[in-house]
Structure formats: C-alpha cells, structure tokens
Amino acid sequence: MPQPVKRLRVLMMVLGGMQAVLGLALLTNSVAFATAIWGEGDVSTPCCTTPGEAHSGIIVFAGVLVLAVAAWGITTALKFPTRHPNLRVSAFAYGWTALPFTLAFFEVVPILGVIWLVPAILAIVRPNQPESRAWFGHQPL
C-alpha cells in the first residue's frame, strides 16, 4: 500500500473515531443537548415534560446518524487492502460528508471547527492523488 493511501486510511479512521465520540455524546446526553437548544420551559409548559425532554428524540436521531457516518468511514478505511475501485469513490464521498461536521463543531467550540476543517479537506483531496488512483485502479505504481 503506497504512503498516501496509508495516510488517507489513518485520516479516515481518526475522522471516524472523532465522529463516533460525537455520536455517543449526542446519544448519552440527548436531554442536555435538547435543553441547551430548545430551553427549559416556563409556566406555560405542560406539567410533565420540558421542551428539552420533548425534543430529545431529535438529538438521539442525530446521534445515530453521526454514528452511521462514522461506521461508514471506518469500514471503508478498513477495506482499503482489498483495492476495490469503489473504495476510492467511497472515501471521496466520505470526505464530502465529513465537511459539514465542521459547522457543527464550529458552533460548539470554534477552534475545534477549524481543526476539523483541515482533515475534512484532506479526506476530499487524498483519494484523487495519482498514487491513490493507481492503487485502487490496480495499476502498477
């Protein structure tokens, strides 16, 4: 496996791992996230649920979606040694999917959003390098 492909593989695993941590945080703290977004409620709130509790299902759905994207990136990276041509396309698409997470991270911690932007862009660029194209196209290097 050429060096640029190894770097792309590690990069995708790191991005997937960070997304998995974010997804687990969303799943385990869904009420806290929903309360931070929709608020506590006031006297007009029904007796049994606050807006945060009522909207926590949306946060759980977002957490499951983030975990699915993380699993996609990690699975694609783990299959790189098979050299299947569609894996390069999957890695490229995963890079484009990782890019919007920059906005989510930027809203939470701005410096984290800037730090996330660089690997996300690299995940878009690296599958199109000549070494990556040759590796996944089964061409001799």
Side-chain angles (χ1 to χ4, degrees):
M1 188 177 314
Q3 204 59 23
V5 177
K6 286 181 185 178
R7 287 189 202 122
L8 175 62
R9 185 178 188 194
V10 169
L11 179 71
M12 288 179 64
M13 287 188 188
V14 168
L15 286 172
M18 289 176 63
Q19 285 174 334
V21 168
L22 174 67
L24 288 174
L26 288 173
L27 286 176
T28 58
N29 301 315
S30 61
V31 174
F33 280 109
T35 301
I37 295 170
W38 284 282
E40 283 289 329
D42 53 10
V43 292
S44 65
T45 306
C47 71
C48 301
T49 61
T50 64
E53 292 170 344
H55 291 96
S56 65
I58 296 170
I59 303 299
V60 169
F61 176 74
V64 169
L65 191 63
V66 170
L67 283 173
V69 171
W72 169 32
I74 292 171
T75 303
T76 299
L78 289 174
K79 287 185 164 193
F80 274 11
T82 64
R83 298 180 71 177
H84 195 279
N86 289 341
L87 288 174
R88 188 181 71 81
V89 175
S90 179
F92 184 71
Y94 176 74
W96 277 106
T97 306
L99 197 58
F101 284 93
T102 303
L103 296 174
F105 284 129
F106 189 77
E107 289 295 322
V108 176
V109 180
I111 190 68
L112 189 60
V114 173
I115 292 171
W116 182 267
L117 182 63
V118 174
I121 291 174
L122 286 174
I124 295 170
V125 172
R126 287 204 172 146
N128 286 322
Q129 290 179 326
E131 295 90 350
S132 297
R133 286 180 179 269
W135 171 261
F136 291 112
H138 297 281
Q139 299 168 0
L141 297 175

